[in-house]
């Protein structure tokens, strides 16, 4: 089974995000790029399938300076190949990303494409279904379970709904699955191994240029005004705990 | 082309999803401004009987055919594409659910219509839709227009009141039978969630843990606090994905919706998917190390601090007070 994992970088939410002076994009200088956490689950699920059934895993990401580390990390975790598609700096719309991935993947052999169910910046929809439709293959999103059939011609997947209800689908391969959660916590790659690969291995680059458009015009970005904000409880942890207990007591929320 | 606002009605097991009513309500408001109609679009087994719940819509399009008896991403997309092509509505609204995500993005590509995802607000300006979407984990909103003035939107649950879209009685019905099908994805069955040891929807006090607890062993700190308060421990998605707590304890979009008297959110940043499941709790107290965490926008009280110090202290003080 040949599995492709389609990955993208997103701004790290641990950092304070700043809006550019133009008002409709993020200040690139204030952004640290990290791998989309759901793509990490997609990679883990791919590696688990490979561990169980054999085959190969290739990780693909849109080319940028920041993406190298994510691709070397994928290799360190057990991916057989890591490929950079074109040159894309900064945020890329999902439609443009899907277009570039579709062009790159068009000439490849594969049975299954896994990607993260969503990303924190995919304003114009999720890459998985866009890519699948572009490639004219089926897709299922919000997938929490993947089982390959005995003849490796289809997969049985679970799609998750509100309240924990699942739908079971049988999907002909090749297909794109948007992974919500891998069967196991994404594995850890030792930093030393990633560094070693960065020195020794090289990433394959596939030509590609931005093409297509989201069809959206972002007028402005803004920090949402919320209906309210929590009343902040000051003091060290002990003092804060004391104040919380007082609040709970006043409201009759302590056990009688 | 029309100024109609279409809404995909999501239903499962003979029940129309609450989000569908939220969208119908908003569609009515927008259609009133655009001079079009609010049109409910419903597919699949049981669709014809469920139209009796869609009285708030001006019209319903019931799409029936063997290929759409049960929801599949590809089947719905294949059946909806010609309907959108024929009517060319100003907007087609989908819930930002698994169904909505799959079909909206699939249609966007297949029908070459732009898609604005994660919407929390919608309005018209000079007759053109303006969509406000929530991105970056709820930290930033984006206000957008469609370059060509019309498109598809997926809306986050809870963005609009459901009341405005809830009215018994059937609207005018247009039946469409379709032979569209895409058997590459085949529905097999629905699987109900396993019953857990604790029903978090019935607990009046929840101590809910998120990624900030860092390790499985630290959940014990939350359990001790929950015990002291006579409540239960719930969690956000990452904790359940990691296997530290069962799925039955998950609060949020793909978990359960809870409304306890007290919701103590510990180490939960407050992504939109989580807020969807707990924002109606009577009292929300949040503890997080990041003062900018979105959870503080829905919490009544907040503490910026280290949960590993705060939780034991809180447990001890409650035990002292309760005696």
């Amino acid at each position: 089974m040949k599995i492709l994992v389609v990955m993208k970088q997103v701004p790290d939410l641990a950092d304070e995000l700043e809006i550019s002076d133009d008002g409709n994009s993020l200040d690139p200088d204030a952004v640290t790029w990290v791998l989309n956490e759901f793509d990490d689950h997609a990679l883990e699920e791919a590696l688990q399938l490979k561990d169980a059934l054999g085959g190969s895993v290739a990780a693909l990401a849109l080319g940028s300076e920041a993406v190298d580390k994510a691709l070397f990390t994928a290799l360190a975790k057990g991916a057989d190949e890591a490929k950079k598609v074109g040159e894309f700096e900064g945020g890329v719309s999902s439609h443009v990303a899907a277009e570039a991935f579709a062009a790159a993947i068009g000439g490849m052999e594969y049975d299954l494409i896994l990607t993260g169910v969503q990303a924190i910046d995919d304003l114009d929809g999720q890459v998985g279904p866009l890519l699948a439709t572009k490639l004219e293959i089926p897709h299922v999103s919000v997938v929490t379970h993947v089982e390959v059939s005995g003849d490796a011609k289809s997969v049985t997947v679970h799609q998750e709904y509100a309240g924990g209800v699942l739908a079971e689908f049988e999907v002909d391969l090749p297909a794109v699955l948007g992974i919500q959660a891998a069967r196991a916590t994404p594995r850890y790659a030792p930093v030393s191994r990633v560094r070693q690969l960065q020195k020794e291995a090289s990433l394959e680059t596939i030509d590609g240029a931005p093409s297509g458009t989201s069809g959206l015009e972002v007028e402005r970005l803004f920090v949402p005004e919320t209906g309210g904000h929590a009343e902040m409880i000051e003091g060290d942890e002990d003092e804060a705990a004391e104040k919380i207990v007082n609040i709970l007591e006043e409201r009759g929320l302590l056990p009688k | 082309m029309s100024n109609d606002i279409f809404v995909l009605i999501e239903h499962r097991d003979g029940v129309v999803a609450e989000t569908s009513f939220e969208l119908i309500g908003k569609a009515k408001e927008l259609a009133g401004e655009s001079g079009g109609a609010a049109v409910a679009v419903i597919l699949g087994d049981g669709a014809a009987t469920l139209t009796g719940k869609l009285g708030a819509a001006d019209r319903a399009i019931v799409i029936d055919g063997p290929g759409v008896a049960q929801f599949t991403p590809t089947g719905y997309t294949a059946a909806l594409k010609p309907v959108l092509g024929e009517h060319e509505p100003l907007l087609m609204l989908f819930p930002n659910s698994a169904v909505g995500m799959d079909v909206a993005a699939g249609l966007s590509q297949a029908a070459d219509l732009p898609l604005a995802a994660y919407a929390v607000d919608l309005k018209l300006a000079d007759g053109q839709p303006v969509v406000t979407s929530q991105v970056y984990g709820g930290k930033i909103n984006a206000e957008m227009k469609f370059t060509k003035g019309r498109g598809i939107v997926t809306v986050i649950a809870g963005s609009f009141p459901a009341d405005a879209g809830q009215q018994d009685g059937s609207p005018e019905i247009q039946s469409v039978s379709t032979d569209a099908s895409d058997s590459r994805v085949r529905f097999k069955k629905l699987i109900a969630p396993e019953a857990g040891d604790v029903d978090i929807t019935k607990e009046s006090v929840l101590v809910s843990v998120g990624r900030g607890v860092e390790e499985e062993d630290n959940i014990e700190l939350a359990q001790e606090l929950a015990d002291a308060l006579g409540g239960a421990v719930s969690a956000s998605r990452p904790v359940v994905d990691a296997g530290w707590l069962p799925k039955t304890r998950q609060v949020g979009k793909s978990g359960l919706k809870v409304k306890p008297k007290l919701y103590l959110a510990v180490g939960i940043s407050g992504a939109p998917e989580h807020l969807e499941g707990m924002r109606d709790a009577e009292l929300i107290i949040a503890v997080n190390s990041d003062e900018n965490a979105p959870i503080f926008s829905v919490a009544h009280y907040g503490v910026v601090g280290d949960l590993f110090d705060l939780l034991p202290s809180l447990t001890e003080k409650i035990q002292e007070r309760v005696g």
Side-chain angles (χ1 to χ4, degrees), chain A residues 16 95 118 120 122-123 141 160 163 166 168 170 172 180 217 219-220 222 230 233 237-238 249, chain B residues 102 108 117-118 136 141 143 145 184 186 188-189 191 237 247 255 273 292 296 300 302 306 313 321:
Chain A
E16 181 101 11
H95 281 74
Q118 65 182 56
I120 53 168
D122 46 14
L123 261 183
S141 298
E160 195 175 68
L166 303 169
E168 186 172 295
E170 196 174 74
D172 286 347
Q180 165 88 23
E217 281 168 37
E219 307 258 286
R220 66 180 181 119
F222 61 100
I233 298 172
E237 279 78 4
D238 254 357
E249 188 161 44
Chain B
D102 256 338
S108 171
Y118 313 110
Y136 303 116
N141 282 2
E143 196 175 276
K145 282 184 176 168
R184 295 174 302 173
R186 298 173 289 280
K188 303 307 270 187
K189 61 181 176 193
I191 303 169
R237 187 189 53 77
K247 184 82 196 163
E273 292 83 359
N292 295 316
F296 291 128
H300 303 96
D306 186 340
S313 173
R321 199 77 63 102

Side-chain angles (χ1 to χ4, degrees), chain A residues 52-186:
Chain A
L53 306 166
S56 65
V57 171
L60 274 75
L62 298 184
S64 73
E65 216 170 295
V67 86
D68 286 19
K69 194 179 155 210
L71 287 172
F72 281 116
T73 303
L75 288 175
K77 287 180 173 185
D80 301 277
E81 292 174 283
K83 301 171 195 243
K84 278 167 88 164
V85 178
E87 281 294 331
F88 296 82
E89 289 300 331
V92 177
S93 81
S94 298
H95 281 74
V96 171
E99 185 101 25
F101 282 124
I105 291 169
M108 294 181 191
E109 272 183 44
Y110 59 92
D111 300 297
L112 184 59
I113 300 175
L114 301 186
T115 188
V117 60
Q118 65 182 56
I120 53 168
D121 64 349
D122 46 14
L123 261 183
D124 60 325
Q126 297 75 28
V127 172
L130 291 170
L131 173 63
T133 311
K134 193 107 199 131
L135 291 170
E136 298 183 335
I137 59 176
H139 61 91
V140 180
S141 298
V142 201
V143 167
T144 55
H145 169 89
V146 183
E147 195 185 319
V148 179
S149 68
D151 62 4
K153 288 199 162 51
S154 66
V155 285
T156 297
V157 303
H158 290 170
Q159 179 173 62
E160 195 175 68
Y161 302 126
V165 177
L166 303 169
E168 186 172 295
F169 294 110
E170 196 174 74
V171 188
D172 286 347
L173 297 181
V176 176
L177 303 178
I179 301 293
Q180 165 88 23
R183 63 189 73 188
T185 308

